PDB file of all heavy atoms in Angstrom:
ATOM      1  N   SER J1497      69.809  15.167  43.842  1.00  0.00           N
ATOM      2  CA  SER J1497      70.369  16.304  44.557  1.00  0.00           C
ATOM      3  C   SER J1497      69.252  17.152  45.218  1.00  0.00           C
ATOM      4  O   SER J1497      68.108  16.894  44.916  1.00  0.00           O
ATOM      5  CB  SER J1497      71.181  17.227  43.582  1.00  0.00           C
ATOM      6  OG  SER J1497      70.255  17.718  42.698  1.00  0.00           O
ATOM      7  N   PHE J1498      69.651  18.024  46.101  1.00  0.00           N
ATOM      8  CA  PHE J1498      68.707  18.857  46.753  1.00  0.00           C
ATOM      9  C   PHE J1498      67.837  19.738  45.731  1.00  0.00           C
ATOM     10  O   PHE J1498      66.750  20.147  46.084  1.00  0.00           O
ATOM     11  CB  PHE J1498      69.355  19.873  47.777  1.00  0.00           C
ATOM     12  CG  PHE J1498      69.938  19.026  48.942  1.00  0.00           C
ATOM     13  CD1 PHE J1498      71.314  18.951  49.191  1.00  0.00           C
ATOM     14  CD2 PHE J1498      69.106  18.439  49.845  1.00  0.00           C
ATOM     15  CE1 PHE J1498      71.726  18.282  50.297  1.00  0.00           C
ATOM     16  CE2 PHE J1498      69.520  17.709  50.942  1.00  0.00           C
ATOM     17  CZ  PHE J1498      70.891  17.728  51.110  1.00  0.00           C
ATOM     18  N   ALA J1499      68.460  20.121  44.682  1.00  0.00           N
ATOM     19  CA  ALA J1499      67.738  20.984  43.698  1.00  0.00           C
ATOM     20  C   ALA J1499      66.836  20.056  42.830  1.00  0.00           C
ATOM     21  O   ALA J1499      66.225  20.585  41.928  1.00  0.00           O
ATOM     22  CB  ALA J1499      68.811  21.690  42.857  1.00  0.00           C
ATOM     23  N   GLY J1500      66.784  18.808  43.132  1.00  0.00           N
ATOM     24  CA  GLY J1500      65.891  17.965  42.295  1.00  0.00           C
ATOM     25  C   GLY J1500      66.400  17.350  41.051  1.00  0.00           C
ATOM     26  O   GLY J1500      65.779  16.708  40.278  1.00  0.00           O
ATOM     27  N   GLY J1501      67.753  17.601  40.846  1.00  0.00           N
ATOM     28  CA  GLY J1501      68.492  17.101  39.720  1.00  0.00           C
ATOM     29  C   GLY J1501      68.860  15.678  39.822  1.00  0.00           C
ATOM     30  O   GLY J1501      68.386  14.984  40.852  1.00  0.00           O
ATOM     31  N   PRO J1502      69.636  15.130  38.993  1.00  0.00           N
ATOM     32  CA  PRO J1502      70.047  13.739  38.993  1.00  0.00           C
ATOM     33  C   PRO J1502      70.947  13.510  40.194  1.00  0.00           C
ATOM     34  O   PRO J1502      71.518  14.442  40.798  1.00  0.00           O
ATOM     35  CB  PRO J1502      70.899  13.500  37.749  1.00  0.00           C
ATOM     36  CG  PRO J1502      71.332  14.879  37.318  1.00  0.00           C
ATOM     37  CD  PRO J1502      70.300  15.798  37.806  1.00  0.00           C
ATOM     38  N   ALA J1503      71.141  12.223  40.556  1.00  0.00           N
ATOM     39  CA  ALA J1503      72.057  11.789  41.619  1.00  0.00           C
ATOM     40  C   ALA J1503      73.471  12.317  41.347  1.00  0.00           C
ATOM     41  O   ALA J1503      73.919  12.412  40.196  1.00  0.00           O
ATOM     42  CB  ALA J1503      71.989  10.289  41.702  1.00  0.00           C
ATOM     43  N   PRO J1504      74.259  12.661  42.336  1.00  0.00           N
ATOM     44  CA  PRO J1504      75.583  13.206  42.087  1.00  0.00           C
ATOM     45  C   PRO J1504      76.610  12.319  41.484  1.00  0.00           C
ATOM     46  O   PRO J1504      77.541  12.701  40.873  1.00  0.00           O
ATOM     47  CB  PRO J1504      76.048  13.646  43.393  1.00  0.00           C
ATOM     48  CG  PRO J1504      75.034  13.166  44.452  1.00  0.00           C
ATOM     49  CD  PRO J1504      73.921  12.697  43.717  1.00  0.00           C
ATOM     50  N   LEU J1505      76.349  10.903  41.631  1.00  0.00           N
ATOM     51  CA  LEU J1505      77.361  10.004  41.100  1.00  0.00           C
ATOM     52  C   LEU J1505      76.687   8.868  40.323  1.00  0.00           C
ATOM     53  O   LEU J1505      75.678   8.333  40.767  1.00  0.00           O
ATOM     54  CB  LEU J1505      78.205   9.400  42.223  1.00  0.00           C
ATOM     55  CG  LEU J1505      79.445  10.138  42.691  1.00  0.00           C
ATOM     56  CD1 LEU J1505      80.098   9.405  43.845  1.00  0.00           C
ATOM     57  CD2 LEU J1505      80.452  10.414  41.642  1.00  0.00           C
ATOM     58  N   THR J1506      77.303   8.464  39.242  1.00  0.00           N
ATOM     59  CA  THR J1506      76.798   7.341  38.458  1.00  0.00           C
ATOM     60  C   THR J1506      77.365   6.101  39.081  1.00  0.00           C
ATOM     61  O   THR J1506      78.123   6.084  40.075  1.00  0.00           O
ATOM     62  CB  THR J1506      77.449   7.455  37.011  1.00  0.00           C
ATOM     63  OG1 THR J1506      78.791   7.367  37.063  1.00  0.00           O
ATOM     64  CG2 THR J1506      76.994   8.671  36.335  1.00  0.00           C
ATOM     65  N   ASP J1507      76.918   4.932  38.503  1.00  0.00           N
ATOM     66  CA  ASP J1507      77.336   3.608  39.094  1.00  0.00           C
ATOM     67  C   ASP J1507      78.876   3.560  38.969  1.00  0.00           C
ATOM     68  O   ASP J1507      79.573   3.048  39.828  1.00  0.00           O
ATOM     69  CB  ASP J1507      76.680   2.505  38.362  1.00  0.00           C
ATOM     70  CG  ASP J1507      75.218   2.337  38.688  1.00  0.00           C
ATOM     71  OD1 ASP J1507      74.774   2.893  39.739  1.00  0.00           O
ATOM     72  OD2 ASP J1507      74.520   1.748  37.891  1.00  0.00           O
ATOM     73  N   SER J1508      79.398   4.035  37.855  1.00  0.00           N
ATOM     74  CA  SER J1508      80.830   3.956  37.657  1.00  0.00           C
ATOM     75  C   SER J1508      81.586   4.894  38.665  1.00  0.00           C
ATOM     76  O   SER J1508      82.640   4.513  39.152  1.00  0.00           O
ATOM     77  CB  SER J1508      81.205   4.466  36.208  1.00  0.00           C
ATOM     78  OG  SER J1508      82.513   4.381  35.930  1.00  0.00           O
ATOM     79  N   GLY J1509      81.060   6.047  38.914  1.00  0.00           N
ATOM     80  CA  GLY J1509      81.566   6.915  40.010  1.00  0.00           C
ATOM     81  C   GLY J1509      81.581   6.300  41.277  1.00  0.00           C
ATOM     82  O   GLY J1509      82.563   6.427  42.114  1.00  0.00           O
ATOM     83  N   LEU J1510      80.460   5.607  41.624  1.00  0.00           N
ATOM     84  CA  LEU J1510      80.323   4.883  42.899  1.00  0.00           C
ATOM     85  C   LEU J1510      81.466   3.794  43.011  1.00  0.00           C
ATOM     86  O   LEU J1510      82.053   3.587  44.120  1.00  0.00           O
ATOM     87  CB  LEU J1510      79.022   4.367  43.126  1.00  0.00           C
ATOM     88  CG  LEU J1510      77.952   5.390  43.566  1.00  0.00           C
ATOM     89  CD1 LEU J1510      76.586   4.766  43.473  1.00  0.00           C
ATOM     90  CD2 LEU J1510      78.204   5.907  44.937  1.00  0.00           C
TER      91      LEU J1510
END
Side-chain angles (χ1 to χ4, degrees):
S1497 70
F1498 290 113
L1505 275 180
T1506 62
D1507 290 338
S1508 183
L1510 284 168

